[in-house]
Amino acid sequence: DAGVIQSPRHEVTEMGQEVTLRCKPISGHDYLFWYRQTMMRGLELLIYFNNNVPIDDSGMPEDRFSAKMPNASFSTLKIQPSEPRDSAVYFCASSLSPDYGYTFGSGTRLTVV
Amino acid sequence: QQQVKQSPQSLIVQKGGISIINCAYENTAFDYFPWYQQFPGKGPALLIAIRPDVSEKKEGRFTISFNKSAKQFSLHIMDSQPGDSATYFCAANGRKNSGTYKYIFGTGTRLKVLA
């Protein structure tokens, strides 16, 4: 298995632009998680899905952030409009169970200028 | 109640030495305690994990010690190697009152093993 695949690896965008991050989880993993990592706040859970259904989105910072999982093999995290404070590394992870080990992707480094 | 406190923030160890990283939690509802290893430019990778029904788990050079009464757990890396140089995160997971799960990650320890 190729693991959790995220794209793009790096994204530089201007403030106000829409940004879409993509994730392909490991086949057979029913749970998908989106995390954000910054020096100041560490690893923060934004949202997680079970069988393509959003279960907990309490970590989504504000309405500018949205996430979808249209099928078991694809998820997106969208920021519209983007702001400089959104600059961070965004990770997608998947798992067989929410109380088990997670497999993380290599992340997307987002820079909003 | 949702915090996991990790220490030290950074650690320098000689090759062959023992690296020890500590974590403390507050919420007794946590029932899964993993450790993750992260190299620069990569995502965290699961290293080893423990559940509260055991006090110790060992996998190769990596050992978790768990103290349920003190609400503390630690990672020991025996015979530390330069290749172990990475950032280590502890985490605690448990079911919230809402029925959803949430990992709480520690703030990370940057380990450097000197050759």
Side-chain angles (χ1 to χ4, degrees):
Chain A
D1 200 323
V4 175
I5 299 173
Q6 291 186 246
S7 64
R9 287 298 312 274
H10 303 274
E11 177 80 39
V12 180
T13 190
E14 291 184 346
M15 182 174 62
Q17 296 298 305
E18 177 180 293
V19 176
T20 299
L21 311 181
R22 297 173 175 79
C23 175
K24 176 179 169 55
I26 290 175
S27 177
H29 281 192
D30 293 333
Y31 289 84
L32 183 139
F33 307 84
W34 281 101
Y35 278 85
R36 179 170 67 177
Q37 186 176 39
T38 61
M39 289 295 293
M40 290 297 294
R41 300 175 67 89
L43 277 159
E44 301 175 278
L45 176 66
L46 300 177
I47 185 171
Y48 81 87
F49 295 83
N50 177 26
N51 291 324
N52 315 336
V53 177
I55 302 300
D56 185 353
D57 64 355
S58 59
M60 296 287 262
E62 48 197 276
D63 292 345
R64 297 184 298 106
F65 286 69
S66 63
K68 294 181 179 179
M69 192 165 186
N71 57 63
S73 60
F74 184 67
S75 177
T76 59
L77 178 68
K78 186 176 293 186
I79 308 173
Q80 165 62 21
S82 58
E83 297 182 4
R85 60 193 169 117
D86 301 330
S87 297
V89 181
Y90 291 81
F91 288 104
C92 174
S94 69
S95 178
L96 291 168
S97 169
D99 63 342
Y100 202 67
Y102 297 173
T103 301
F104 283 79
S106 293
T108 294
R109 181 175 294 277
L110 173 65
T111 303
V112 183
V113 297
Chain B
Q1 271 203 333
Q2 291 295 314
Q3 279 191 321
V4 174
K5 296 181 181 179
Q6 184 172 347
S7 64
Q9 191 174 359
S10 62
L11 182 62
I12 299 175
V13 173
Q14 292 288 337
K15 179 182 177 181
I18 302 174
S19 304
I20 301 174
I21 305 170
N22 301 299
C23 281
Y25 63 98
E26 299 172 350
N27 190 338
T28 56
F30 291 142
D31 60 4
Y32 180 70
F33 302 89
W35 285 89
Y36 285 81
Q37 179 188 56
Q38 185 178 26
F39 293 105
K42 301 291 186 182
L46 180 66
L47 191 61
I48 187 172
I50 198 168
R51 295 201 184 264
D53 54 342
V54 296
S55 60
E56 185 175 283
K57 184 174 181 180
K58 184 176 181 179
E59 290 184 2
R61 297 185 293 110
F62 301 92
T63 299
I64 298 179
S65 296
F66 185 81
N67 186 329
K68 188 174 181 178
S69 60
K71 291 187 283 186
Q72 295 175 347
F73 58 110
S74 60
L75 176 70
H76 292 64
I77 305 174
M78 310 300 288
D79 186 26
S80 299
Q81 300 295 313
D84 297 331
S85 298
T87 300
Y88 293 81
F89 294 92
C90 64
N93 193 23
R95 197 162 191 169
K96 298 192 294 186
N97 290 335
S98 61
T100 60
Y101 287 84
K102 189 164 187 176
Y103 259 37
I104 304 295
F105 279 92
T107 50
T109 296
R110 185 170 292 187
L111 170 66
K112 185 174 177 63
V113 181
L114 302 177

mmCIF file of all heavy atoms in Angstrom, chain A residues 12-54:
data_model
loop_
_atom_site.group_PDB
_atom_site.id
_atom_site.type_symbol
_atom_site.label_atom_id
_atom_site.label_comp_id
_atom_site.label_asym_id
_atom_site.label_seq_id
_atom_site.Cartn_x
_atom_site.Cartn_y
_atom_site.Cartn_z
ATOM 1 N N VAL A 12 1.677 27.713 -2.165
ATOM 2 C CA VAL A 12 1.851 29.119 -1.818
ATOM 3 C C VAL A 12 0.740 29.887 -2.524
ATOM 4 O O VAL A 12 0.560 29.749 -3.736
ATOM 5 C CB VAL A 12 3.225 29.660 -2.265
ATOM 6 C CG1 VAL A 12 3.348 31.135 -1.875
ATOM 7 C CG2 VAL A 12 4.347 28.851 -1.634
ATOM 8 N N THR A 13 -0.008 30.644 -1.768
ATOM 9 C CA THR A 13 -1.127 31.359 -2.356
ATOM 10 C C THR A 13 -1.235 32.745 -1.742
ATOM 11 O O THR A 13 -0.668 33.026 -0.689
ATOM 12 C CB THR A 13 -2.436 30.581 -2.128
ATOM 13 O OG1 THR A 13 -3.482 31.156 -2.902
ATOM 14 C CG2 THR A 13 -2.846 30.607 -0.656
ATOM 15 N N GLU A 14 -1.963 33.590 -2.430
ATOM 16 C CA GLU A 14 -2.151 34.950 -1.927
ATOM 17 C C GLU A 14 -3.391 35.019 -1.044
ATOM 18 O O GLU A 14 -4.371 34.300 -1.268
ATOM 19 C CB GLU A 14 -2.281 35.933 -3.090
ATOM 20 C CG GLU A 14 -0.991 36.117 -3.870
ATOM 21 C CD GLU A 14 -1.111 37.175 -4.951
ATOM 22 O OE1 GLU A 14 -2.242 37.579 -5.279
ATOM 23 O OE2 GLU A 14 -0.054 37.602 -5.456
ATOM 24 N N MET A 15 -3.331 35.888 -0.089
ATOM 25 C CA MET A 15 -4.459 36.106 0.806
ATOM 26 C C MET A 15 -5.730 36.357 0.001
ATOM 27 O O MET A 15 -5.710 37.091 -0.984
ATOM 28 C CB MET A 15 -4.168 37.307 1.707
ATOM 29 C CG MET A 15 -5.241 37.615 2.713
ATOM 30 S SD MET A 15 -4.739 38.931 3.841
ATOM 31 C CE MET A 15 -4.515 40.274 2.696
ATOM 32 N N GLY A 16 -6.796 35.702 0.411
ATOM 33 C CA GLY A 16 -8.073 35.871 -0.270
ATOM 34 C C GLY A 16 -8.377 34.803 -1.297
ATOM 35 O O GLY A 16 -9.534 34.657 -1.719
ATOM 36 N N GLN A 17 -7.368 34.041 -1.677
ATOM 37 C CA GLN A 17 -7.571 32.986 -2.668
ATOM 38 C C GLN A 17 -8.134 31.736 -2.007
ATOM 39 O O GLN A 17 -7.983 31.498 -0.806
ATOM 40 C CB GLN A 17 -6.261 32.664 -3.378
ATOM 41 C CG GLN A 17 -5.703 33.803 -4.203
ATOM 42 C CD GLN A 17 -6.638 34.212 -5.312
ATOM 43 O OE1 GLN A 17 -7.054 33.406 -6.135
ATOM 44 N NE2 GLN A 17 -6.991 35.489 -5.349
ATOM 45 N N GLU A 18 -8.771 30.924 -2.838
ATOM 46 C CA GLU A 18 -9.272 29.629 -2.376
ATOM 47 C C GLU A 18 -8.167 28.585 -2.466
ATOM 48 O O GLU A 18 -7.411 28.556 -3.439
ATOM 49 C CB GLU A 18 -10.458 29.198 -3.237
ATOM 50 C CG GLU A 18 -11.012 27.833 -2.877
ATOM 51 C CD GLU A 18 -12.188 27.443 -3.767
ATOM 52 O OE1 GLU A 18 -13.248 28.087 -3.669
ATOM 53 O OE2 GLU A 18 -12.043 26.494 -4.554
ATOM 54 N N VAL A 19 -8.070 27.758 -1.449
ATOM 55 C CA VAL A 19 -7.062 26.695 -1.410
ATOM 56 C C VAL A 19 -7.774 25.362 -1.190
ATOM 57 O O VAL A 19 -8.656 25.265 -0.331
ATOM 58 C CB VAL A 19 -6.075 26.919 -0.255
ATOM 59 C CG1 VAL A 19 -5.096 25.764 -0.162
ATOM 60 C CG2 VAL A 19 -5.333 28.233 -0.431
ATOM 61 N N THR A 20 -7.393 24.355 -1.960
ATOM 62 C CA THR A 20 -7.966 23.019 -1.795
ATOM 63 C C THR A 20 -6.848 22.010 -1.583
ATOM 64 O O THR A 20 -5.950 21.891 -2.421
ATOM 65 C CB THR A 20 -8.809 22.613 -2.998
ATOM 66 O OG1 THR A 20 -9.894 23.541 -3.152
ATOM 67 C CG2 THR A 20 -9.386 21.214 -2.797
ATOM 68 N N LEU A 21 -6.916 21.315 -0.461
ATOM 69 C CA LEU A 21 -5.955 20.276 -0.143
ATOM 70 C C LEU A 21 -6.635 18.932 -0.340
ATOM 71 O O LEU A 21 -7.811 18.773 -0.020
ATOM 72 C CB LEU A 21 -5.470 20.425 1.304
ATOM 73 C CG LEU A 21 -5.024 21.829 1.721
ATOM 74 C CD1 LEU A 21 -4.550 21.821 3.170
ATOM 75 C CD2 LEU A 21 -3.976 22.380 0.797
ATOM 76 N N ARG A 22 -5.859 17.953 -0.821
ATOM 77 C CA ARG A 22 -6.450 16.669 -1.186
ATOM 78 C C ARG A 22 -5.805 15.515 -0.431
ATOM 79 O O ARG A 22 -4.618 15.573 -0.074
ATOM 80 C CB ARG A 22 -6.316 16.454 -2.694
ATOM 81 C CG ARG A 22 -7.074 17.489 -3.509
ATOM 82 C CD ARG A 22 -6.793 17.378 -5.000
ATOM 83 N NE ARG A 22 -7.614 18.304 -5.763
ATOM 84 C CZ ARG A 22 -7.373 19.595 -5.908
ATOM 85 N NH1 ARG A 22 -6.306 20.140 -5.339
ATOM 86 N NH2 ARG A 22 -8.175 20.356 -6.608
ATOM 87 N N CYS A 23 -6.598 14.475 -0.235
ATOM 88 C CA CYS A 23 -6.110 13.324 0.522
ATOM 89 C C CYS A 23 -6.727 12.030 0.009
ATOM 90 O O CYS A 23 -7.941 11.954 -0.231
ATOM 91 C CB CYS A 23 -6.437 13.486 2.007
ATOM 92 S SG CYS A 23 -6.007 12.062 3.019
ATOM 93 N N LYS A 24 -5.880 11.015 -0.133
ATOM 94 C CA LYS A 24 -6.346 9.669 -0.442
ATOM 95 C C LYS A 24 -5.954 8.776 0.725
ATOM 96 O O LYS A 24 -4.765 8.554 0.965
ATOM 97 C CB LYS A 24 -5.707 9.169 -1.734
ATOM 98 C CG LYS A 24 -6.054 7.726 -2.105
ATOM 99 C CD LYS A 24 -5.384 7.334 -3.405
ATOM 100 C CE LYS A 24 -5.484 5.843 -3.682
ATOM 101 N NZ LYS A 24 -6.883 5.342 -3.666
ATOM 102 N N PRO A 25 -6.918 8.246 1.463
ATOM 103 C CA PRO A 25 -6.584 7.420 2.627
ATOM 104 C C PRO A 25 -6.164 6.020 2.204
ATOM 105 O O PRO A 25 -6.270 5.648 1.030
ATOM 106 C CB PRO A 25 -7.899 7.377 3.410
ATOM 107 C CG PRO A 25 -8.950 7.496 2.340
ATOM 108 C CD PRO A 25 -8.367 8.400 1.301
ATOM 109 N N ILE A 26 -5.713 5.237 3.167
ATOM 110 C CA ILE A 26 -5.381 3.839 2.915
ATOM 111 C C ILE A 26 -6.674 3.074 2.676
ATOM 112 O O ILE A 26 -7.662 3.240 3.409
ATOM 113 C CB ILE A 26 -4.602 3.259 4.103
ATOM 114 C CG1 ILE A 26 -3.201 3.881 4.152
ATOM 115 C CG2 ILE A 26 -4.505 1.748 4.021
ATOM 116 C CD1 ILE A 26 -2.387 3.474 5.359
ATOM 117 N N SER A 27 -6.651 2.250 1.656
ATOM 118 C CA SER A 27 -7.831 1.463 1.325
ATOM 119 C C SER A 27 -8.237 0.585 2.505
ATOM 120 O O SER A 27 -7.403 -0.099 3.105
ATOM 121 C CB SER A 27 -7.522 0.588 0.101
ATOM 122 O OG SER A 27 -8.613 -0.242 -0.215
ATOM 123 N N GLY A 28 -9.522 0.632 2.838
ATOM 124 C CA GLY A 28 -10.022 -0.172 3.948
ATOM 125 C C GLY A 28 -10.083 0.558 5.268
ATOM 126 O O GLY A 28 -10.698 0.076 6.224
ATOM 127 N N HIS A 29 -9.425 1.689 5.354
ATOM 128 C CA HIS A 29 -9.507 2.500 6.579
ATOM 129 C C HIS A 29 -10.811 3.288 6.552
ATOM 130 O O HIS A 29 -11.042 4.089 5.656
ATOM 131 C CB HIS A 29 -8.318 3.455 6.670
ATOM 132 C CG HIS A 29 -7.063 2.796 7.133
ATOM 133 N ND1 HIS A 29 -5.942 3.507 7.505
ATOM 134 C CD2 HIS A 29 -6.754 1.487 7.329
ATOM 135 C CE1 HIS A 29 -5.000 2.667 7.886
ATOM 136 N NE2 HIS A 29 -5.473 1.430 7.784
ATOM 137 N N ASP A 30 -11.632 3.092 7.568
ATOM 138 C CA ASP A 30 -12.945 3.724 7.602
ATOM 139 C C ASP A 30 -12.924 5.130 8.190
ATOM 140 O O ASP A 30 -13.923 5.833 8.138
ATOM 141 C CB ASP A 30 -13.927 2.867 8.403
ATOM 142 C CG ASP A 30 -14.231 1.549 7.711
ATOM 143 O OD1 ASP A 30 -14.137 1.497 6.469
ATOM 144 O OD2 ASP A 30 -14.552 0.579 8.416
ATOM 145 N N TYR A 31 -11.804 5.487 8.815
ATOM 146 C CA TYR A 31 -11.721 6.786 9.481
ATOM 147 C C TYR A 31 -10.675 7.656 8.801
ATOM 148 O O TYR A 31 -9.574 7.188 8.487
ATOM 149 C CB TYR A 31 -11.360 6.613 10.962
ATOM 150 C CG TYR A 31 -12.478 6.018 11.779
ATOM 151 C CD1 TYR A 31 -12.654 4.637 11.839
ATOM 152 C CD2 TYR A 31 -13.376 6.831 12.474
ATOM 153 C CE1 TYR A 31 -13.700 4.088 12.562
ATOM 154 C CE2 TYR A 31 -14.418 6.288 13.202
ATOM 155 C CZ TYR A 31 -14.574 4.913 13.240
ATOM 156 O OH TYR A 31 -15.608 4.374 13.962
ATOM 157 N N LEU A 32 -11.032 8.902 8.589
ATOM 158 C CA LEU A 32 -10.110 9.862 8.000
ATOM 159 C C LEU A 32 -10.112 11.125 8.848
ATOM 160 O O LEU A 32 -11.167 11.610 9.262
ATOM 161 C CB LEU A 32 -10.530 10.195 6.561
ATOM 162 C CG LEU A 32 -9.589 11.153 5.800
ATOM 163 C CD1 LEU A 32 -9.411 10.699 4.367
ATOM 164 C CD2 LEU A 32 -10.044 12.585 5.885
ATOM 165 N N PHE A 33 -8.908 11.629 9.082
ATOM 166 C CA PHE A 33 -8.714 12.774 9.975
ATOM 167 C C PHE A 33 -7.933 13.864 9.241
ATOM 168 O O PHE A 33 -6.999 13.574 8.497
ATOM 169 C CB PHE A 33 -7.912 12.356 11.210
ATOM 170 C CG PHE A 33 -8.471 11.172 11.935
ATOM 171 C CD1 PHE A 33 -8.166 9.881 11.533
ATOM 172 C CD2 PHE A 33 -9.292 11.333 13.043
ATOM 173 C CE1 PHE A 33 -8.671 8.760 12.189
ATOM 174 C CE2 PHE A 33 -9.801 10.232 13.721
ATOM 175 C CZ PHE A 33 -9.496 8.955 13.293
ATOM 176 N N TRP A 34 -8.297 15.097 9.493
ATOM 177 C CA TRP A 34 -7.518 16.246 9.025
ATOM 178 C C TRP A 34 -6.933 16.962 10.246
ATOM 179 O O TRP A 34 -7.662 17.327 11.170
ATOM 180 C CB TRP A 34 -8.377 17.226 8.235
ATOM 181 C CG TRP A 34 -8.654 16.820 6.826
ATOM 182 C CD1 TRP A 34 -9.794 16.252 6.329
ATOM 183 C CD2 TRP A 34 -7.778 16.979 5.697
ATOM 184 N NE1 TRP A 34 -9.677 16.033 4.980
ATOM 185 C CE2 TRP A 34 -8.453 16.468 4.562
ATOM 186 C CE3 TRP A 34 -6.488 17.488 5.534
ATOM 187 C CZ2 TRP A 34 -7.890 16.461 3.294
ATOM 188 C CZ3 TRP A 34 -5.921 17.476 4.273
ATOM 189 C CH2 TRP A 34 -6.622 16.978 3.167
ATOM 190 N N TYR A 35 -5.606 17.147 10.217
ATOM 191 C CA TYR A 35 -4.892 17.838 11.291
ATOM 192 C C TYR A 35 -4.159 19.039 10.723
ATOM 193 O O TYR A 35 -3.794 19.082 9.553
ATOM 194 C CB TYR A 35 -3.852 16.911 11.940
ATOM 195 C CG TYR A 35 -4.399 15.967 12.974
ATOM 196 C CD1 TYR A 35 -4.960 14.744 12.608
ATOM 197 C CD2 TYR A 35 -4.356 16.279 14.323
ATOM 198 C CE1 TYR A 35 -5.459 13.872 13.563
ATOM 199 C CE2 TYR A 35 -4.853 15.415 15.284
ATOM 200 C CZ TYR A 35 -5.401 14.218 14.897
ATOM 201 O OH TYR A 35 -5.895 13.357 15.838
ATOM 202 N N ARG A 36 -3.908 19.996 11.606
ATOM 203 C CA ARG A 36 -3.086 21.153 11.270
ATOM 204 C C ARG A 36 -1.942 21.211 12.286
ATOM 205 O O ARG A 36 -2.167 21.021 13.490
ATOM 206 C CB ARG A 36 -3.916 22.434 11.332
ATOM 207 C CG ARG A 36 -3.144 23.695 11.033
ATOM 208 C CD ARG A 36 -4.072 24.891 10.883
ATOM 209 N NE ARG A 36 -4.748 25.266 12.108
ATOM 210 C CZ ARG A 36 -5.561 26.318 12.215
ATOM 211 N NH1 ARG A 36 -5.774 27.083 11.141
ATOM 212 N NH2 ARG A 36 -6.149 26.604 13.359
ATOM 213 N N GLN A 37 -0.729 21.470 11.796
ATOM 214 C CA GLN A 37 0.432 21.543 12.688
ATOM 215 C C GLN A 37 1.106 22.894 12.548
ATOM 216 O O GLN A 37 1.486 23.305 11.446
ATOM 217 C CB GLN A 37 1.437 20.430 12.383
ATOM 218 C CG GLN A 37 2.594 20.371 13.373
ATOM 219 C CD GLN A 37 3.530 19.196 13.112
ATOM 220 O OE1 GLN A 37 3.827 18.852 11.978
ATOM 221 N NE2 GLN A 37 3.993 18.573 14.189
ATOM 222 N N THR A 38 1.248 23.581 13.659
ATOM 223 C CA THR A 38 1.987 24.842 13.715
ATOM 224 C C THR A 38 2.913 24.810 14.921
ATOM 225 O O THR A 38 2.716 24.014 15.854
ATOM 226 C CB THR A 38 1.054 26.062 13.852
ATOM 227 O OG1 THR A 38 0.313 25.927 15.080
ATOM 228 C CG2 THR A 38 0.090 26.171 12.688
ATOM 229 N N MET A 39 3.923 25.662 14.915
ATOM 230 C CA MET A 39 4.830 25.726 16.050
ATOM 231 C C MET A 39 4.091 26.179 17.299
ATOM 232 O O MET A 39 4.337 25.684 18.398
ATOM 233 C CB MET A 39 5.983 26.683 15.743
ATOM 234 C CG MET A 39 6.966 26.154 14.717
ATOM 235 S SD MET A 39 7.833 24.699 15.322
ATOM 236 C CE MET A 39 8.797 25.438 16.640
ATOM 237 N N MET A 40 3.179 27.117 17.129
ATOM 238 C CA MET A 40 2.503 27.694 18.293
ATOM 239 C C MET A 40 1.469 26.750 18.898
ATOM 240 O O MET A 40 1.348 26.662 20.118
ATOM 241 C CB MET A 40 1.822 29.005 17.897
ATOM 242 C CG MET A 40 2.789 30.134 17.588
ATOM 243 S SD MET A 40 3.755 30.589 19.037
ATOM 244 C CE MET A 40 2.471 31.239 20.100
ATOM 245 N N ARG A 41 0.734 26.040 18.071
ATOM 246 C CA ARG A 41 -0.406 25.264 18.554
ATOM 247 C C ARG A 41 -0.220 23.750 18.445
ATOM 248 O O ARG A 41 -1.097 22.982 18.865
ATOM 249 C CB ARG A 41 -1.664 25.699 17.816
ATOM 250 C CG ARG A 41 -1.993 27.190 18.002
ATOM 251 C CD ARG A 41 -3.189 27.598 17.155
ATOM 252 N NE ARG A 41 -4.420 26.963 17.620
ATOM 253 C CZ ARG A 41 -5.220 27.473 18.546
ATOM 254 N NH1 ARG A 41 -4.916 28.630 19.109
ATOM 255 N NH2 ARG A 41 -6.324 26.840 18.901
ATOM 256 N N GLY A 42 0.910 23.332 17.873
ATOM 257 C CA GLY A 42 1.158 21.898 17.760
ATOM 258 C C GLY A 42 0.219 21.230 16.770
ATOM 259 O O GLY A 42 -0.192 21.832 15.783
ATOM 260 N N LEU A 43 -0.141 19.977 17.058
ATOM 261 C CA LEU A 43 -1.035 19.206 16.198
ATOM 262 C C LEU A 43 -2.476 19.382 16.677
ATOM 263 O O LEU A 43 -2.812 19.017 17.798
ATOM 264 C CB LEU A 43 -0.663 17.725 16.238
ATOM 265 C CG LEU A 43 0.460 17.286 15.316
ATOM 266 C CD1 LEU A 43 1.051 15.978 15.801
ATOM 267 C CD2 LEU A 43 -0.025 17.158 13.889
ATOM 268 N N GLU A 44 -3.306 19.900 15.799
ATOM 269 C CA GLU A 44 -4.712 20.137 16.131
ATOM 270 C C GLU A 44 -5.610 19.331 15.196
ATOM 271 O O GLU A 44 -5.445 19.395 13.980
ATOM 272 C CB GLU A 44 -5.081 21.611 15.938
ATOM 273 C CG GLU A 44 -4.314 22.618 16.729
ATOM 274 C CD GLU A 44 -4.739 24.011 16.312
ATOM 275 O OE1 GLU A 44 -4.222 24.513 15.279
ATOM 276 O OE2 GLU A 44 -5.591 24.605 17.002
ATOM 277 N N LEU A 45 -6.557 18.622 15.763
ATOM 278 C CA LEU A 45 -7.549 17.927 14.957
ATOM 279 C C LEU A 45 -8.570 18.935 14.440
ATOM 280 O O LEU A 45 -9.155 19.687 15.216
ATOM 281 C CB LEU A 45 -8.255 16.861 15.780
ATOM 282 C CG LEU A 45 -9.392 16.116 15.076
ATOM 283 C CD1 LEU A 45 -8.846 15.271 13.927
ATOM 284 C CD2 LEU A 45 -10.162 15.240 16.057
ATOM 285 N N LEU A 46 -8.755 18.932 13.145
ATOM 286 C CA LEU A 46 -9.743 19.843 12.546
ATOM 287 C C LEU A 46 -11.099 19.156 12.402
ATOM 288 O O LEU A 46 -12.127 19.683 12.802
ATOM 289 C CB LEU A 46 -9.256 20.324 11.173
ATOM 290 C CG LEU A 46 -7.929 21.088 11.163
ATOM 291 C CD1 LEU A 46 -7.544 21.430 9.728
ATOM 292 C CD2 LEU A 46 -8.020 22.335 12.012
ATOM 293 N N ILE A 47 -11.093 17.955 11.818
ATOM 294 C CA ILE A 47 -12.331 17.241 11.542
ATOM 295 C C ILE A 47 -11.999 15.778 11.309
ATOM 296 O O ILE A 47 -10.878 15.454 10.904
ATOM 297 C CB ILE A 47 -13.046 17.833 10.289
ATOM 298 C CG1 ILE A 47 -14.408 17.183 10.051
ATOM 299 C CG2 ILE A 47 -12.163 17.720 9.053
ATOM 300 C CD1 ILE A 47 -15.237 17.878 8.976
ATOM 301 N N TYR A 48 -12.965 14.883 11.622
ATOM 302 C CA TYR A 48 -12.753 13.520 11.190
ATOM 303 C C TYR A 48 -14.037 12.907 10.644
ATOM 304 O O TYR A 48 -15.143 13.313 10.998
ATOM 305 C CB TYR A 48 -12.094 12.655 12.268
ATOM 306 C CG TYR A 48 -12.954 12.075 13.372
ATOM 307 C CD1 TYR A 48 -13.602 10.848 13.213
ATOM 308 C CD2 TYR A 48 -13.031 12.708 14.614
ATOM 309 C CE1 TYR A 48 -14.323 10.284 14.250
ATOM 310 C CE2 TYR A 48 -13.751 12.147 15.651
ATOM 311 C CZ TYR A 48 -14.390 10.933 15.475
ATOM 312 O OH TYR A 48 -15.106 10.362 16.518
ATOM 313 N N PHE A 49 -13.854 11.946 9.753
ATOM 314 C CA PHE A 49 -14.938 11.261 9.057
ATOM 315 C C PHE A 49 -14.941 9.774 9.420
ATOM 316 O O PHE A 49 -13.885 9.183 9.637
ATOM 317 C CB PHE A 49 -14.750 11.356 7.533
ATOM 318 C CG PHE A 49 -14.841 12.737 6.968
ATOM 319 C CD1 PHE A 49 -13.744 13.599 6.979
ATOM 320 C CD2 PHE A 49 -16.019 13.189 6.392
ATOM 321 C CE1 PHE A 49 -13.822 14.871 6.442
ATOM 322 C CE2 PHE A 49 -16.111 14.466 5.849
ATOM 323 C CZ PHE A 49 -14.999 15.302 5.880
ATOM 324 N N ASN A 50 -16.119 9.212 9.452
ATOM 325 C CA ASN A 50 -16.283 7.764 9.548
ATOM 326 C C ASN A 50 -17.174 7.326 8.406
ATOM 327 O O ASN A 50 -18.305 7.798 8.284
ATOM 328 C CB ASN A 50 -16.897 7.365 10.893
ATOM 329 C CG ASN A 50 -17.141 5.869 10.997
ATOM 330 O OD1 ASN A 50 -16.463 5.071 10.346
ATOM 331 N ND2 ASN A 50 -18.078 5.477 11.837
ATOM 332 N N ASN A 51 -16.663 6.420 7.579
ATOM 333 C CA ASN A 51 -17.425 5.970 6.419
ATOM 334 C C ASN A 51 -17.978 7.149 5.612
ATOM 335 O O ASN A 51 -19.159 7.170 5.241
ATOM 336 C CB ASN A 51 -18.566 5.044 6.855
ATOM 337 C CG ASN A 51 -18.052 3.714 7.366
ATOM 338 O OD1 ASN A 51 -17.067 3.174 6.861
ATOM 339 N ND2 ASN A 51 -18.696 3.189 8.385
ATOM 340 N N ASN A 52 -17.111 8.116 5.383
ATOM 341 C CA ASN A 52 -17.376 9.285 4.543
ATOM 342 C C ASN A 52 -18.287 10.317 5.198
ATOM 343 O O ASN A 52 -18.585 11.349 4.583
ATOM 344 C CB ASN A 52 -17.996 8.891 3.178
ATOM 345 C CG ASN A 52 -17.293 7.726 2.524
ATOM 346 O OD1 ASN A 52 -16.117 7.467 2.793
ATOM 347 N ND2 ASN A 52 -17.999 7.018 1.679
ATOM 348 N N VAL A 53 -18.728 10.080 6.413
ATOM 349 C CA VAL A 53 -19.630 11.000 7.101
ATOM 350 C C VAL A 53 -18.848 11.807 8.127
ATOM 351 O O VAL A 53 -18.122 11.214 8.937
ATOM 352 C CB VAL A 53 -20.775 10.237 7.799
ATOM 353 C CG1 VAL A 53 -21.662 11.192 8.580
ATOM 354 C CG2 VAL A 53 -21.586 9.443 6.778
ATOM 355 N N PRO A 54 -18.968 13.147 8.131
ATOM 356 C CA PRO A 54 -18.263 13.937 9.157
ATOM 357 C C PRO A 54 -18.833 13.645 10.539
ATOM 358 O O PRO A 54 -20.047 13.708 10.732
ATOM 359 C CB PRO A 54 -18.519 15.383 8.717
ATOM 360 C CG PRO A 54 -19.733 15.322 7.854
ATOM 361 C CD PRO A 54 -19.736 13.983 7.203
#
